[in-house]
Amino acid sequence: MTSSLLDTPQAAGAALDGCTMVDMEFIYRPRPLEQRRRALFDVALHLRLTELARQERAGVCFLCADEASAASLEPLLKVFASLRKVHIVVNPPIMSGADGSADRQTPALAGWENPTTWIQYAVSDRWARIRFALETTSVLAGAGYVVLAAHDALWGSGLLEDLISFSKGRSAGGLPAAVSPYSPWHHSSVPGAALPQWGIDSINAAFGRDFWMRLRLTRGSHQGFWGKTGLIPFQMSAEILRRVDLRVWEDDLEIDRAVREAGFASCALWIDDPLLYRQSLPIYNQEDLRQVIDRTIHYSLNIPASPPGATSLILRELALPLRMRRRLDRRYAAALALVERTAEECVSAARSRIERYGMSWVDWGSYRYVVRVGDPFVQVWFHNERV
């Protein structure tokens, strides 16, 4: 009912006033041009907005990299007339001279091409949008939830009601819990997207190595808030912002820490039914797979280990039931072999960079993320080719 391009959290909050559910969609670039990738993006977004539109007072806020990204969404939004829609351009701030002085030599020290043409940013683009999202919902009055969703999250009918009920049943500190769905379907097929089965098998094998995850989530002994889809009560937003450190790369884990530190609860609801909730990544070739694995390994590089990256969930030792499955299930064994071979290559490359430069890095989206062993904070760089 409302479609506008705004520029401040206060303006966005005013435009969304009265909503009790606000979905924050992070749009890093225009809709994909390649047919299969566009189909995947479109189906996933359509499913999320369809489920959102089932809520009585719902709105969606598109936090976009630029106006072209916002405009590219318009053909998809015509069927969602009941949703209040807001479009905003949000990007990370450039690191100031005083704050960035200690890191200015990174491009030269790391041997990057044209080191003087690299720009350092204060936070990741995802953190910039999370901050804007929480600043927006912190000004909304009354009870409600802000939803942070990833592009590969596919929602089914009834998911949000289940999560809200789960949240209210696990209140702490005077507020319902921050909650996330957790699915063993880390990757799945999508009509029209022509995703290769080997990629689906590989991602599911890579992220399904923790056989006891369901038990640990049920007991509340593991991370409860996840970046794929997370619901946060409006009233929790400001307190989270006061406590999170935006220099930490793995933002969902940092949000989870801040929620618990504030005395609130964070919980994950295990969902077996792929029609209710699942994920689907744009894995079409070996390079797509390598990028996902490489990024995941770099998440754990800040933790001292030998070799670097050894603490990553991608390299976690298989429990006995999964070792037995590996022996009996050839397809599963082939997927594990591909994942482990790719992970070993990524770890080897990271180790070489650390030995040579004292740091390693991975390119993701428009940015390069630099990690040092033992340093909890990530550096964010962008190559300005126009310089």
Side-chain angles (χ1 to χ4, degrees):
M1 299 184 61
T2 298
S3 182
S4 55
L5 186 63
L6 304 175
D7 59 359
T8 67
Q10 292 73 27
L16 295 165
D17 184 47
C19 290
T20 57
M21 178 75 66
V22 177
D23 175 31
M24 296 289 181
E25 292 285 339
F26 299 172
I27 308 300
Y28 303 97
R29 61 187 66 84
R31 288 168 64 210
L33 294 176
E34 199 271 324
Q35 183 176 358
R36 297 173 303 171
R37 295 177 188 266
R38 170 167 284 200
L40 179 59
F41 177 92
D42 289 359
V43 168
L45 180 59
H46 186 273
L47 286 174
R48 291 196 298 276
L49 296 185
T50 297
E51 170 62 1
L52 183 69
R54 295 180 63 251
Q55 312 306 306
E56 287 188 6
R57 289 182 290 166
V60 57
C61 187
F62 295 100
L63 305 179
C64 305
D66 49 40
E67 293 188 21
S69 298
S72 73
L73 303 173
E74 288 302 322
L76 300 177
L77 305 182
K78 295 177 181 178
V79 297
F80 296 102
S82 65
L83 281 177
R84 210 178 309 187
K85 296 177 281 290
V86 174
H87 299 77
I88 302 164
V89 173
V90 181
N91 288 297
I94 294 175
M95 183 78 82
S96 69
D99 293 339
S101 58
D103 300 331
R104 275 188 186 166
Q105 298 305 311
T106 292
L109 293 174
W112 297 349
E113 181 181 359
N114 300 323
T116 60
T117 62
W118 289 84
I119 299 171
Q120 186 178 7
Y121 285 82
V123 299
S124 69
D125 55 346
R126 181 170 167 82
W127 262 127
R129 295 181 179 109
I130 290 173
R131 177 168 58 190
F132 194 103
L134 295 179
E135 287 175 345
T136 296
T137 54
S138 68
V139 304
L140 295 180
Y145 290 89
V146 55
V147 189
L148 305 181
H151 287 180
D152 54 307
L154 281 74
W155 300 352
S157 178
L159 173 68
L160 294 178
E161 286 94 336
D162 286 355
L163 290 172
I164 292 170
S165 177
F166 186 69
S167 167
K168 291 179 178 179
R170 286 155 180 79
S171 300
L175 290 178
V179 300
S180 292
Y182 189 96
S183 172
W185 301 84
H186 300 283
H187 197 2
S188 59
S189 61
V190 169
L195 289 157
Q197 187 62 49
W198 65 262
I200 294 173
D201 292 344
S202 297
I203 291 295
N204 284 324
F207 292 95
R209 295 180 73 95
D210 188 345
F211 183 77
W212 307 110
M213 176 65 84
R214 182 172 190 170
L215 177 62
R216 295 197 289 136
L217 291 177
T218 301
R219 289 178 173 176
S221 60
H222 196 68
Q223 176 180 345
F225 185 87
W226 297 83
K228 297 298 183 181
T229 292
L231 275 67
I232 298 174
F234 290 163
Q235 302 97 318
M236 206 181 283
S237 299
E239 190 63 35
I240 291 173
L241 279 175
R242 279 194 288 269
R243 294 175 181 272
V244 291
D245 194 319
L246 306 186
R247 296 171 295 176
V248 175
W249 188 11
E250 204 168 353
D251 47 75
D252 55 348
L253 186 60
E254 177 66 2
I255 291 172
D256 185 82
R257 181 200 63 76
V259 168
R260 296 172 189 249
E261 183 185 87
F264 305 128
S266 69
C267 309
L269 176 62
W270 182 279
I271 298 179
D272 280 314
D273 183 0
L275 296 180
L276 185 60
Y277 176 71
R278 68 189 197 277
Q279 293 151 215
S280 191
L281 290 80
I283 305 294
Y284 286 99
N285 52 53
Q286 296 285 342
E287 178 59 19
D288 291 337
L289 177 66
R290 187 201 65 79
Q291 286 186 349
V292 171
I293 291 176
D294 199 20
R295 179 187 60 163
T296 304
I297 286 171
H298 276 75
Y299 278 155
S300 64
L301 282 187
N302 65 295
I303 303 172
S306 183
T311 61
S312 173
L313 62 87
I314 296 288
L315 299 173
R316 180 170 294 163
E317 182 179 358
L318 291 175
L320 178 60
L322 294 180
R323 294 201 299 270
M324 293 177 62
R325 181 185 175 188
R326 185 175 203 161
R327 288 196 293 268
L328 298 174
D329 186 337
R330 290 184 178 180
R331 194 167 114 182
Y332 178 65
L336 277 176
L338 175 58
V339 167
E340 290 171 355
R341 183 170 62 251
T342 305
E344 288 168 2
E345 292 170 356
C346 292
V347 168
S348 177
R351 186 191 308 134
S352 297
R353 285 191 290 266
I354 289 169
E355 291 174 352
R356 183 173 181 182
Y357 305 113
M359 68 189 84
S360 186
W361 55 85
V362 61
D363 294 333
W364 190 257
S366 300
Y367 301 90
R368 176 167 290 181
Y369 297 88
V370 178
V371 184
R372 290 183 171 88
V373 174
D375 185 349
F377 305 134
V378 70
Q379 295 179 25
V380 183
W381 293 87
F382 173 78
H383 190 208
N384 188 359
E385 297 177 350
R386 295 179 181 179
V387 176

